[in-house]
């Protein structure tokens, strides 16, 4: 099916934003623009509902915007093709500039119907929720799943997915489509070349890095331009050392949460990597692609990352690399949680704007994506798991994803879920990430990095204009 032969107002706004003709208001200005006022979309008219069409989708155009990152967008196009078999045409756009292109349209009241709000330039979802600009997805979760009408969508999802979409209440505002295993990614081949086992304690980590150094290989590299990548291993290590309640205190912006002994121990451990010269030279200035390329060339043993890395770096990964991921290394036997403790949770967050002109179509599109056909297709295309239970069970997986699945299964109930990265993304990515970046570059020591993290968290805690969410 082809797109409609006319340009509606939201299509004009989308093209204007892409061309830089629409200015983006400051976040404070966005906070003053609640949804429901000034929308130029006509009220949505739903059709009759049925077992096959639980949301009453009518034959109207659906607009979908996908983040053009490590997962690409082919998986979305394939799901859109399924949608078009029964409903209207799909206007598909991919971009890395999510905020600059879409935030003006949300303010104007003419947003797309579905947004993959991902990447370094994602919109602050908490602020959008606060301004009532996000559609409640509870209707989707309580609908019959695509493959089994006797099973609700919510009952097909992996652990933590529903929780991740909640912001201080029972409503669910976003769907994290991918299921990511965060940890220390490495090459089994490289580890074997230096005659080492995967390190479970920090003394073992230092010994492995020293062995790598003797063979001309750095112990670690990382994306210095995106230093929050270090959080993918540091956060679960903090929970492992001190218990999950330490992460909960950090998420809740509690006073002195960053000064907990577990945080200090982890920062000092990571700083030792820098002090001993185990970080690949040049890492502080690298992009994620740069650091992954260096890692793929056996220039460094470990890299903090998520399970999207297998697909994102596949063009430069040697055939003999044997990519794998391990649970974050702990401190020692005094740790509060066992080795294997893992951060495994949803990523690739999707939401439907409150002012979407085809919210019913957006709900149905997400229901299609949560069907086994689309979920399995995503895994085949991206080498990443989805939030759908069992969707990858019958697939032949690459070495990285096979390792990720095994590491997740070995973790059992020892899963942690840091929320600061989606509750307060600017704090996480820029302030805390920046402090860790300076520490890992050797510019500051752990105590100063901790002070900066705590001061930044206190500033957010005291800012009444920022929506607060808490663990209960």
């Amino acid at each position: 099916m082809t797109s409609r032969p006319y340009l509606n107002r939201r299509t004009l706004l989308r093209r204007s934003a892409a061309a830089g003709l629409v200015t983006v208001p400051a976040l404070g200005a966005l906070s003053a623009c609640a949804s429901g006022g000034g929308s130029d979309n006509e009220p949505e008219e739903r059709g009759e509902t049925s077992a096959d069409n639980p949301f009453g989708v009518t034959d109207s155009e659906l607009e979908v915007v996908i983040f053009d990152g490590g997962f690409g967008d082919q998986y979305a196009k394939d799901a859109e093709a399924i949608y078009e078999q029964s409903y209207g045409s799909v206007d598909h756009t991919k971009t890395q500039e999510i905020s600059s292109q879409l935030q003006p349209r949300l303010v104007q009241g003419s947003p797309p119907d579905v947004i993959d709000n991902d990447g370094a330039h994602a919109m602050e979802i908490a602020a959008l929720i606060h301004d009532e600009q996000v559609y409640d997805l509870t209707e989707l979760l309580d609908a019959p799943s695509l493959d089994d009408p006797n099973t609700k969508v919510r009952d097909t999802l992996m652990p933590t997915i529903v929780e991740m979409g909640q912001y201080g209440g029972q409503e669910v505002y976003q769907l994290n489509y991918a299921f990511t295993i965060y940890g220390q990614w490495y090459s089994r081949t490289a580890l074997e070349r230096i005659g080492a086992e995967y390190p479970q304690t920090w003394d073992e980590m230092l010994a492995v890095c020293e062995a790598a150094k003797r063979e001309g290989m750095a112990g670690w590299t990382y994306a210095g331009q995106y230093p929050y990548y270090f959080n993918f291993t540091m956060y679960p290590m903090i929970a492992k050392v001190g218990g999950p309640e330490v992460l909960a205190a950090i998420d809740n912006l509690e006073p002195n949460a960053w000064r907990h002994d577990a945080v200090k121990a982890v920062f000092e451990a990571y700083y030792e990597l820098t002090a001993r010269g185990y970080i690949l030279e040049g890492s502080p200035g690298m992009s994620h692609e740069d650091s992954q390329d260096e890692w793929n060339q056996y220039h460094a043993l470990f890299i903090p990352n998520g399970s999207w890395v297998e697909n994102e770096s596949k063009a430069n990964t040697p055939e003999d690399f044997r990519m794998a991921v391990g649970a974050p290394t702990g401190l020692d036997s005094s740790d509060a949680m066992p080795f294997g403790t893992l951060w495994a949770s949803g990523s690739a967050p999707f939401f439907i704007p409150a002012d979407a002109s085809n919210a019913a179509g957006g709900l149905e599109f997400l229901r299609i994506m949560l069907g086994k056909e689309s979920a399995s297709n995503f895994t085949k295309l991206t080498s990443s798991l989805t939030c759908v239970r069992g969707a990858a069970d019958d697939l032949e997986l690459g070495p990285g994803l096979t390792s990720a699945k095994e590491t997740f299964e070995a973790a059992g109930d020892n899963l942690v879920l840091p929320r600061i990265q989606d509750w307060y993304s600017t704090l996480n990515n820029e302030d805390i990430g920046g402090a860790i970046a300076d520490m890992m570059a050797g510019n500051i020591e752990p105590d100063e990095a901790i002070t900066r993290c705590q001061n930044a968290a206190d500033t957010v805690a005291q800012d009444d204009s920022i929506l607060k969410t808490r663990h209960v």
Side-chain angles (χ1 to χ4, degrees):
M1 303 178 72
T2 58
S3 299
R4 296 176 178 179
Y6 62 88
L7 294 178
N8 57 30
R9 188 176 188 278
R10 69 177 184 178
T11 302
L12 285 170
L13 278 167
R14 171 173 60 83
R15 295 184 179 179
S16 297
L21 301 178
V22 178
T23 58
V24 183
L27 186 57
L30 176 63
S31 302
C33 302
S35 119
S39 170
D40 289 287
N41 283 342
E42 295 180 1
E44 180 187 21
E45 294 183 4
R46 297 200 183 187
E48 294 185 7
T49 61
S50 66
D52 293 330
N53 185 8
F55 309 117
V57 183
T58 59
D59 185 9
S60 57
E61 183 184 57
L62 179 73
E63 185 182 357
V64 177
V65 178
I66 300 295
F67 170 66
D68 185 19
F71 296 139
D73 68 334
Q74 186 58 49
Y75 72 92
K77 290 181 178 179
D78 293 343
E80 290 161 7
I82 296 174
Y83 178 93
E84 288 184 328
Q85 290 174 10
S86 300
Y87 307 106
S89 61
V90 178
D91 181 355
H92 174 99
T93 302
K94 65 178 181 178
T95 181
Q96 292 189 354
E97 303 301 325
I98 295 293
S99 180
S100 62
Q101 292 195 17
L102 299 183
Q103 188 168 302
R105 296 184 55 192
L106 265 70
V107 172
Q108 294 289 338
S110 297
D113 300 304
V114 180
I115 298 173
D116 174 16
N117 187 39
D118 206 352
H121 305 292
M123 292 178 284
E124 290 272 10
I125 186 69
L128 298 179
I129 293 168
H130 180 259
D131 294 334
E132 301 181 1
Q133 293 188 341
V134 185
Y135 195 95
D136 179 7
L137 298 180
T138 302
E139 183 181 0
L140 168 66
L141 299 181
D142 289 334
S145 65
L146 197 69
D147 301 304
D148 181 2
N150 296 316
T151 301
K152 291 182 178 181
V153 167
R154 69 169 67 244
D155 295 327
T156 69
L157 303 180
M158 294 280 270
T160 74
I161 294 301
V162 172
E163 179 185 354
M164 285 197 70
Q166 295 172 329
Y167 287 76
Q170 295 303 307
E171 298 85 358
V172 177
Y173 291 105
Q174 71 177 13
L175 173 74
N176 289 272
Y177 186 62
F179 193 75
T180 297
I181 310 302
Y182 300 96
Q184 293 163 189
W185 288 78
Y186 66 101
S187 158
R188 295 186 194 273
T189 301
L191 202 60
E192 289 177 1
R193 285 179 183 176
I194 63 173
E197 299 290 333
Y198 186 85
Q200 297 191 15
T201 67
W202 206 254
D203 283 344
E204 292 174 358
M205 169 60 75
L206 297 176
V208 169
C209 289
E210 184 62 31
K213 188 175 182 179
R214 288 195 298 268
E215 297 298 323
M217 182 188 305
W220 285 68
T221 187
Y222 64 97
Q225 294 181 21
Y226 304 102
Y228 58 86
Y229 272 51
F230 257 122
N231 299 348
F232 301 155
T233 55
M234 293 180 75
Y235 284 167
M237 185 178 175
I238 288 170
K240 184 183 187 310
V241 173
E245 61 272 14
V246 183
L247 283 186
I250 288 173
D251 290 340
N252 287 343
L253 304 177
E254 293 181 9
N256 295 317
W258 283 95
R259 296 192 172 95
H260 192 281
D261 288 345
V263 177
K264 182 177 176 63
V266 171
F267 274 50
E268 289 177 344
Y270 270 81
Y271 184 70
E272 201 164 1
L273 297 175
T274 293
R276 293 191 180 209
Y278 295 151
I279 302 294
L280 181 66
E281 185 176 356
S283 293
M286 290 182 188
S287 68
H288 58 295
E289 291 99 339
D290 295 334
S291 61
Q292 289 163 187
D293 287 348
E294 295 290 339
W295 175 60
N296 284 157
Q297 294 173 43
Y298 297 107
H299 293 164
L301 185 57
F302 294 110
I303 188 170
N305 222 310
S307 47
W308 61 78
V309 67
E310 184 170 28
N311 183 64
E312 193 170 58
S313 66
K314 64 182 178 181
N316 296 319
T317 303
E319 290 185 9
D320 66 349
F321 196 71
R322 296 163 59 205
M323 188 180 296
V325 61
T329 299
L331 200 60
D332 53 37
S333 60
S334 69
D335 290 353
M337 299 182 73
F339 175 75
T341 297
L342 191 69
W343 178 3
S345 65
S347 61
F350 281 74
F351 77 89
I352 295 174
D355 284 335
S357 64
N358 190 5
L363 292 168
E364 181 63 19
F365 173 70
L366 293 179
R367 192 173 79 108
I368 289 169
M369 286 184 61
L370 295 172
K372 188 169 182 180
E373 178 182 351
S374 293
S376 297
N377 184 54
F378 177 89
T379 298
K380 292 175 188 176
L381 291 171
T382 69
S383 298
S384 295
L385 299 173
T386 68
C387 64
V388 181
R389 294 178 185 267
D393 286 352
D394 299 327
L395 301 180
E396 182 176 345
L397 308 178
L401 191 54
T402 298
S403 172
K405 193 168 182 286
E406 292 171 351
T407 302
F408 170 68
E409 291 169 352
D413 293 332
N414 296 308
L415 300 177
V416 297
L417 179 60
R419 298 306 306 273
I420 189 172
Q421 36 84 39
D422 55 313
W423 286 353
Y424 310 108
S425 59
T426 299
L427 170 64
N428 179 76
N429 297 353
E430 298 180 10
D431 299 319
I432 293 165
I436 292 172
D438 279 344
M439 181 182 76
M440 296 309 297
N443 298 329
I444 60 175
E445 295 187 354
D447 284 348
E448 184 176 347
I450 288 170
T451 296
R452 282 175 52 179
C453 291
Q454 187 61 60
N455 288 344
D458 290 343
T459 298
V460 172
Q462 296 160 13
D463 188 340
D464 292 337
S465 71
I466 297 176
L467 176 68
K468 306 301 191 302
T469 307
R470 291 182 58 86
H471 293 283
V472 294

